[in-house]
Amino acid sequence: MVLDRQGYDDLIMYLTQNLALFEKSGEIKPGAPTIMELIEDDIAENVMLLCQQHTDLSTEQRSQIVREVDGIVYDLQEVLSSVTSNQVTIEQHAFIDEFAALVKNLFDSAVVESA
């Protein structure tokens, strides 16, 4: 659906261009989640929103989305493996929120194209 598209390659390039965000320290809000917890929560929220907005998705399409999202989270975990258990900084939080929204946008586009 999206993993084999140019948009996903562009998204991974965007991540690599912003890796420095994860290599430096920054301000952490009290009670901040770990980087991996935030990634999982943000992407899950966006996938649920995607499914709510596209009520006509078949069970097969929903399953494919979940499989591909699992692959995306795995890719993120691999790229950020050395920092996933760190608490997220304010800058990292903003980046992860944006990244998760871009993932949703990729799936939105794919769903619309397949309709």
Side-chain angles (χ1 to χ4, degrees):
M1 185 171 267
V2 301
L3 294 181
D4 58 351
R5 293 180 179 229
Q6 181 62 41
Y8 184 66
D9 294 341
D10 294 341
L11 191 60
I12 294 300
M13 181 62 70
Y14 179 62
L15 172 64
T16 58
Q17 291 169 345
N18 287 281
L19 282 179
L21 265 176
F22 296 93
E23 296 169 355
K24 63 181 181 176
S25 60
E27 184 181 349
I28 299 173
K29 288 185 179 179
T34 66
I35 290 171
M36 199 65 222
E37 289 169 340
L38 182 63
I39 288 170
E40 290 171 343
D41 289 349
D42 270 9
I43 290 183
E45 285 176 26
N46 278 280
V47 169
M48 287 187 285
L49 183 58
L50 173 80
C51 290
Q52 289 171 352
Q53 291 172 336
H54 299 281
T55 56
D56 57 335
L57 287 171
S58 69
T59 302
E60 183 180 314
Q61 288 170 312
R62 290 174 192 264
S63 295
Q64 184 178 6
I65 290 168
V66 169
R67 282 191 305 275
E68 290 200 11
V69 165
D70 283 346
I72 291 168
V73 171
Y74 178 81
D75 289 348
L76 288 169
Q77 192 170 15
E78 288 294 306
V79 171
L80 301 172
S81 63
S82 64
V83 297
T84 55
S85 61
N86 296 351
Q87 282 186 295
V88 69
T89 68
I90 292 170
E91 286 180 310
Q92 292 165 348
H93 197 294
F95 176 81
I96 293 168
D97 287 349
E98 180 182 14
F99 189 90
L102 292 170
V103 168
K104 180 189 174 292
N105 288 348
L106 281 176
F107 281 101
D108 275 329
S109 295
V111 167
V112 169
E113 287 175 14
S114 68

